[in-house]
Amino acid sequence: MRKIVINGGKPLTGEVAVSGAKNSVVALIPAILLADDIVILDGVPAISDVDSLIEIMEIMGARVIREGETLEIDPRGVKNIPMPYGKINSLRASYYFYGSLLGRFGEATVGLPGGCDLGPRPIDLHLKAFEAMGAKVSYEGDNMRLATESGQLHGTHIYFDIVTVGATINTMIAAVKAKGKTVIENAAREPEIIDVATLLNNMGARIRGAGTDVITIEGVDYLGSTRHQVIPDRIEAGSYIALAAAVGKGIRVTNVLYEHLESFIAKLDEMGVRMTIEEDSIFVEKQEALKPVNIRTAPYPGFATDLQQPVTPLLLKAEGRGNLVDTIYEKRVNHVPELARMGANIKTIGSTIIYDGPNQLTGAPVKATDLRAGAALVTAGLMAKGRTEITNIEFILRGYSNIIEKLRALGADIDIIEE
């Protein structure tokens, strides 16, 4: 078993660079299956989800060369083979193979997706879109089979009942090589959707409206070679900004796109966090007294659900009471008992998190229950007096590139140990 061990209570300083966006790259890599030539991605984060996706691509016959943050993918040798449950269920984003395989071969047999347990995360809207485009769905053990009678999806008009990032991206990927025009209404607007559309358009796709609530895709027959820079990870950026405000005495977070973080920055401003926003970086000063705030997550451009947990330790420094409500994932409260174990005055009432501060945390053995909960515990461990041991760290390594090295460079006493 591996643990992250932190000896906390030390103020951090320096500069930390944000890596490429996890939530982009986990869709970009499956989308490259549609290409008819070599595609290069720059700014690929060193996370275990990327390792899993590369392994899946290679099993299917793609040639992948990885050098640092650059991936060169040649998908021309990919075969339409069933992807077994054991390989595919290690990450949630495996469902993007549904769209890319359907788009390329007109059929797909893929294991059901895995990932973090955040409550109900149905893929019914993905399947609704695929069925509207001509695919039939059946189940074979732990695998799902999607197949078209003609061997090709057809364009159609799709309206999503709720805003969904995954289904928006998956439908967009599937529609790129479909016959005719596909219109997606009530589409999600997250920056990662624009990033995937940019890659596909640079390959030769005809996608309009990404970043708005109506996306139009005209099907094409051929997608060529391109080179694409993955956008900075806004969730990693927010996590380090919150960490800097909680334990920093002057930290600059670089490779940041402020426009992707406006609702998050607005809440930190409301707390009284002192920051200087520059062209592609944010400098976070040493903080004094902070005010409590109430946070309610919402689809982009609202406060991101993925930042609810990473910001929680910072809120514990505020003087007074506040609350957080996650409207996206009802079970995104599993970090609360772990923080309470460290001495935090925090609790849940239903799906609402209530906190009172300020708090002095104390190191303790805690468990990461999902990716972003793990990020919260890392920050809490850095804030706490004494030694914190975090287990289930595989969740953290799924989404934060070189996190140990980055925090050590800021002066953190943090390490991974094997037991």
Side-chain angles (χ1 to χ4, degrees):
M1 181 175 65
R2 294 197 298 172
K3 297 179 180 180
I4 289 178
V5 177
I6 303 169
N7 293 304
K10 301 177 180 179
L12 308 184
T13 187
E15 184 173 294
V16 60
V18 173
S19 300
K22 168 194 177 288
N23 290 337
S24 277
V25 80
V26 296
L28 293 168
I29 292 173
I32 291 171
L33 276 180
L34 294 171
D36 299 291
D37 207 336
I38 294 170
V39 174
I40 297 173
L41 293 180
D42 293 313
V44 176
I47 56 176
S48 61
D49 271 11
V50 168
D51 299 337
S52 298
L53 288 167
I54 291 172
E55 185 178 359
I56 292 168
M57 294 283 280
E58 289 178 331
I59 288 171
M60 298 175 73
R63 182 179 61 84
V64 183
I65 299 172
R66 187 178 193 176
E67 293 184 1
E69 295 187 343
T70 297
L71 278 187
E72 180 183 294
I73 301 175
D74 184 348
R76 289 174 292 187
V78 166
K79 302 291 190 296
N80 183 25
I81 61 173
M83 290 309 306
Y85 177 76
K87 283 290 179 193
I88 213 80
N89 79 324
S90 64
L91 69 162
R92 180 69 180 172
S94 61
Y95 55 44
Y96 291 127
F97 284 107
Y98 301 169
S100 58
L101 288 170
L102 270 173
R104 176 162 176 166
F105 298 110
E107 61 178 354
T109 303
V110 187
L112 298 174
C116 299
D117 180 14
L118 302 176
R121 303 171 78 186
I123 59 170
D124 57 314
L125 293 179
H126 302 241
L127 302 183
K128 172 186 172 183
F130 297 150
E131 288 176 320
M133 298 169 75
K136 295 188 182 302
V137 182
S138 59
Y139 296 90
E140 302 171 359
D142 287 324
N143 291 338
M144 181 187 300
R145 177 167 169 74
L146 302 129
T148 59
E149 289 184 5
S150 66
Q152 184 181 21
L153 296 170
H154 60 74
T156 190
H157 196 109
I158 296 163
Y159 181 89
F160 286 130
D161 298 327
I162 59 172
V163 175
T164 161
V165 176
T168 297
I169 292 176
N170 224 350
T171 304
M172 189 170 67
I173 290 171
V176 165
K177 283 192 168 181
K179 185 176 181 179
K181 181 170 74 172
T182 301
V183 178
I184 306 171
E185 288 200 70
N186 200 29
R189 296 185 286 161
E190 272 72 2
E192 294 79 14
I193 295 168
I194 301 172
D195 201 26
V196 176
T198 300
L199 168 74
L200 291 168
N201 281 339
N202 289 342
M203 290 159 60
R206 299 173 63 190
I207 302 170
R208 292 182 289 111
T212 75
D213 61 358
V214 179
I215 301 175
T216 303
I217 306 106
E218 295 277 359
V220 298
D221 296 326
Y222 179 86
L223 294 176
S225 179
T226 193
R227 186 164 194 153
H228 178 79
Q229 176 72 42
V230 182
I231 61 170
D233 193 317
R234 62 194 172 98
I235 308 304
E236 184 185 6
S239 299
Y240 282 123
I241 292 166
L243 180 151
V247 296
K249 57 177 183 180
I251 293 177
R252 185 180 307 281
V253 184
T254 65
N255 196 29
V256 175
L257 292 178
Y258 165 73
E259 56 267 31
H260 292 174
L261 289 165
E262 289 184 279
S263 57
F264 173 77
I265 296 297
K267 278 298 175 184
L268 267 57
D269 282 336
E270 188 180 335
M271 290 186 70
V273 173
R274 299 194 304 276
M275 297 169 284
T276 302
I277 297 169
E278 298 169 347
E279 184 176 355
D280 61 353
S281 67
I282 295 179
F283 179 76
V284 185
E285 300 177 25
K286 186 178 187 302
Q287 307 303 314
E288 302 300 336
L290 297 175
K291 296 175 285 188
V293 293
N294 299 328
I295 294 173
R296 188 177 183 87
T297 69
Y300 189 84
F303 194 101
T305 175
D306 280 357
L307 283 173
Q308 177 259 108
Q309 292 162 297
V311 82
T312 305
L314 173 62
L315 300 179
L316 297 174
K317 297 192 72 170
E319 298 180 5
R321 168 171 286 198
N323 66 70
L324 297 90
V325 179
D326 197 319
T327 66
I328 312 297
Y329 295 125
E330 62 184 33
K331 284 180 67 175
R332 210 159 211 174
V333 297
N334 292 334
H335 57 308
V336 171
E338 303 304 311
L339 292 171
R341 195 188 313 276
M342 299 177 73
N345 190 352
I346 189 171
K347 62 184 178 181
T348 58
I349 300 177
S351 59
T352 300
I353 300 170
I354 309 291
Y355 65 91
D356 287 279
N359 292 261
Q360 174 57 64
L361 302 181
T362 303
V366 290
K367 179 174 66 175
T369 53
D370 59 76
L371 168 57
R372 306 305 173 184
L377 295 179
V378 169
T379 298
L382 293 169
M383 294 167 58
K385 289 184 176 178
R387 179 183 173 97
T388 296
E389 295 186 358
I390 306 173
T391 55
N392 277 14
I393 67 170
E394 287 69 28
F395 283 118
I396 301 169
L397 303 180
R398 281 187 53 223
Y400 287 89
S401 181
N402 299 317
I403 185 170
I404 303 301
E405 294 81 0
K406 290 181 180 182
L407 292 175
R408 279 183 184 161
L410 296 175
D413 186 344
I414 183 170
D415 205 351
I416 294 179
I417 64 168
E418 302 263 0
E419 287 192 350

